[in-house]
Amino acid sequence: MFRKPITMTWRRSVYSARSRSLSGGSEFFSGSGRVTMQQDESSGIAVVTLDNPGKKNTLSGSMMAEFDKITQRLEQWSSGKAVILSGHGGDFCTGVDLDLVRNILNSEGGQKMSLHLHDLMTRFSNLPLISVAVIPGIAVGGGAELTTACDFRLLTPCAKIGFVQIKMGVVTGFGGGTRLTRIIGRSQALRMLCSGKVYRAEESKSMGLADDILSGKGDSVEEAKDWIKDNFPHNTEMTRQMKKIIIGASELESRCSLQNERDIFVSTWGQSLHVDAMNSNIKHRE
């Protein structure tokens, strides 16, 4: 019997603490900066921009709240294909705003922020959209962790990325340690996290963190849009379904992931796109 694919429902139970993490009140979710989004219905590509002028796009509490609302909008964007996450003014993000850090410098504050950001980054990572972090300048600390919530990381030649938390006497707080290990493997992740080193673009690529290096000429976000169009040229709905399979493979145990893949396969088999492709003998075309 055909069952509805489960990919987009299991993640809600993983972070049941979300309602608690968002109950910190106005003091937590305050501060400077903003997070904006532009959605292009014709291309199916959204651009989310971190913007905290003069602070290298550090995340304030208000920006975290705005990012959460934007992620909710993306979860409901059924016609979307991809999302680009980048920073305004030449840098990506340098972690949490120090004004916020000073206000919550205790275990309760750390737990509140970590619960919220773990939930937010997991939800962003599990969007049925191809997600691309565009890093034009520096991404360190929490900013480096943000990049791991994306499927791909594109750096400009002058970009730098580093997990410098160990220098600050803390560990990764956004879930970036877990995601980094899945991206580059145990040994490389341990080296990157424990060294506190800030890596240049070429080094990041050689370690498997950067997927590609942009030209650095012109608008890096526009170049990333072209990269997405070149690498994901096929139908939006099929791309979304493939992403759901990858999410299941990453987050579910093997038996459930296989069941999820079968369910998604059945939901596409014999449908109009499949029938049209069969009639056009498209399988054997380059």
Side-chain angles (χ1 to χ4, degrees):
M1 180 178 178
F2 170 67
R3 302 189 310 171
K4 183 180 179 180
I6 62 176
T7 311
M8 300 311 293
T9 59
W10 97 88
R11 59 178 173 78
R12 289 293 185 184
S13 63
V14 174
Y15 281 89
S16 59
R18 184 184 176 216
S19 59
R20 298 196 304 274
S21 71
L22 291 174
S23 61
S26 59
E27 290 185 3
F28 184 84
F29 294 108
S30 62
S32 62
R34 60 179 185 161
V35 183
T36 61
M37 179 171 68
Q38 294 180 327
Q39 290 170 275
D40 184 348
E41 291 292 344
S42 61
S43 66
I45 299 175
V47 178
V48 177
T49 305
L50 309 174
D51 185 5
N52 198 351
K55 293 188 175 183
K56 294 185 181 295
N57 300 326
T58 54
L59 285 176
S60 65
S62 63
M63 290 173 70
M64 294 176 194
E66 289 180 350
F67 202 161
D68 187 278
K69 291 177 182 178
I70 284 173
T71 300
Q72 290 180 47
R73 288 169 58 189
L74 289 170
E75 287 172 334
Q76 300 300 317
W77 191 30
S78 60
S79 60
K81 186 175 190 178
V83 56
I84 293 171
L85 178 62
S86 192
H88 178 73
D91 284 307
F92 183 77
C93 175
T94 54
V96 179
D97 191 325
L98 289 179
D99 291 336
L100 174 59
V101 172
R102 295 187 183 99
N103 288 335
I104 60 169
L105 203 56
N106 52 64
S107 295
E108 181 182 358
Q111 182 184 49
K112 185 183 298 181
M113 182 181 70
S114 185
L115 277 172
H116 175 58
L117 289 171
H118 272 235
D119 169 69
L120 176 56
M121 292 300 99
T122 299
R123 288 167 49 226
F124 189 84
S125 178
N126 289 343
L127 289 168
L129 306 167
I130 304 301
S131 54
V132 179
V134 174
I135 307 166
I138 192 165
V140 296
E145 291 193 66
L146 287 181
T147 72
T148 67
C150 294
D151 300 316
F152 301 95
R153 283 146 296 279
L154 307 182
L155 281 62
T156 62
C158 63
K160 297 179 181 179
I161 185 168
F163 294 81
V164 298
Q165 287 87 342
I166 197 168
K167 297 179 180 179
M168 304 299 294
V170 293
V171 300
T172 46
F174 296 15
T178 296
R179 292 190 298 271
L180 179 67
T181 302
R182 292 175 177 175
I183 293 168
I184 65 174
R186 177 171 174 163
S187 298
Q188 291 284 54
L190 192 59
R191 180 185 301 176
M192 187 171 278
L193 291 170
C194 289
S195 70
K197 180 180 176 181
V198 177
Y199 294 85
R200 297 183 182 276
E202 287 291 349
E203 292 177 299
S204 299
K205 188 175 182 181
S206 67
M207 294 185 75
L209 184 57
D211 294 281
D212 216 337
I213 298 177
L214 302 172
S215 69
K217 301 175 182 177
D219 190 327
S220 57
V221 169
E222 291 302 315
E223 189 174 353
K225 290 180 181 179
D226 290 336
W227 186 91
I228 291 171
K229 292 173 184 176
D230 289 342
N231 286 276
F232 301 93
H234 297 292
N235 176 270
T236 293
E237 182 56 29
M238 289 299 96
T239 302
R240 290 169 64 91
Q241 297 299 340
M242 289 295 190
K243 173 67 185 284
K244 291 177 183 180
I245 290 173
I246 298 302
I247 295 170
S250 301
E251 302 290 342
L252 298 172
E253 60 92 14
S254 181
R255 181 181 59 82
C256 291
S257 176
L258 288 168
Q259 180 63 60
N260 183 59
E261 185 171 352
R262 286 194 297 273
D263 291 343
I264 293 174
F265 169 75
V266 171
S267 74
T268 61
W269 182 266
Q271 300 303 307
S272 58
L273 287 172
H274 183 206
V275 172
D276 289 345
M278 290 293 294
N279 291 337
S280 301
N281 196 29
I282 201 169
K283 179 178 181 180
H284 299 290
R285 297 180 187 176
E286 293 186 3

